[in-house]
């Protein structure tokens, strides 16, 4: 599903792909299922950096970004009204970040105020990476 990412002429770094077991454990910890597109991303990349763009996933330590479990749980703790239906996948800065839901729909959030963006996870990923070309 994401093999053409490797054709991009940019510095690409990925972590170890997430296994089904790790994905299922992470879903249980968050209390949410991942959509097909995001799940395939996790199985292909774990986490992904393309130049300066950092897409959160399952990787490395559970105590820092770009591990989405850590970031999502941190945001839930700091913003009690933040939706339990969203997973933090990309930080813009200055309080803004992007999330994905269980249907692979993307949301742009500013603190706990989230608005649906007319994109799926895959479309969002390719749009962001395409900005580098």
């Amino acid at each position: 599903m994401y093999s053409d990412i490797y054709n991009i002429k940019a510095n690409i770094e990925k972590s170890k792909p997430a296994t089904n077991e790790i994905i299922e454990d992470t879903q249980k910890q968050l209390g949410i299922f991942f959509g097909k597109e995001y799940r395939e991303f996790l199985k292909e990349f774990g986490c992904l950096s393309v130049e300066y763009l950092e897409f959160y996933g399952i990787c490395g330590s559970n105590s820092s970004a770009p591990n989405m479990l850590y970031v999502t749980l941190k945001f839930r703790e700091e913003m009690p009204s933040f939706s339990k239906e969203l997973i933090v996948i990309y930080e813009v800065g200055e309080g803004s970040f992007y999330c994905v839901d269980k249907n692979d729909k993307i949301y742009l959030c500013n603190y706990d105020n989230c608005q649906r963006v007319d994109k799926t996870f895959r479309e969002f990923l390719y749009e962001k990476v395409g900005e580098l070309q």
Side-chain angles (χ1 to χ4, degrees), residues 21-86:
E21 181 179 80
I22 291 171
I23 290 171
E24 289 171 18
D25 182 56
T26 304
Q27 289 177 133
K28 285 179 189 172
Q29 290 181 64
L30 289 172
I32 185 174
F33 288 102
F34 304 147
K36 180 182 177 186
E37 293 178 11
Y38 190 59
R39 185 181 187 91
E40 289 301 315
F41 167 84
L42 296 171
K43 290 168 74 173
E44 177 76 29
F45 303 109
C47 291
L48 177 67
S49 292
V50 182
E51 296 294 341
Y52 56 86
L53 305 174
E54 191 168 51
F55 301 94
Y56 296 178
I58 299 173
C59 57
S61 167
N62 281 346
S63 61
S64 65
N67 186 294
M68 63 82 172
L69 175 63
Y70 167 78
V71 176
T72 300
L73 291 175
K74 180 180 170 215
F75 279 36
R76 286 179 180 180
E77 180 183 315
E78 292 176 358
M79 297 175 280
S81 61
F82 181 70
S83 174
K84 305 273 190 280
E85 301 295 315
L86 298 177

Side-chain angles (χ1 to χ4, degrees), residues 113-131:
N113 179 19
C114 299
Q115 302 296 317
R116 168 91 167 82
V117 177
D118 192 25
K119 291 180 184 18
T120 65
F121 176 78
R122 187 174 196 283
E123 292 168 337
F124 170 78
L125 175 68
Y126 278 97
E127 177 182 279
K128 287 291 181 195
V129 171
E131 292 172 1

Side-chain angles (χ1 to χ4, degrees), residues 105-119:
K105 297 188 184 325
I106 296 294
Y107 293 78
L108 175 59
C109 302
N110 189 285
Y111 298 97
D112 61 352
N113 179 19
C114 299
Q115 302 296 317
R116 168 91 167 82
V117 177
D118 192 25
K119 291 180 184 18

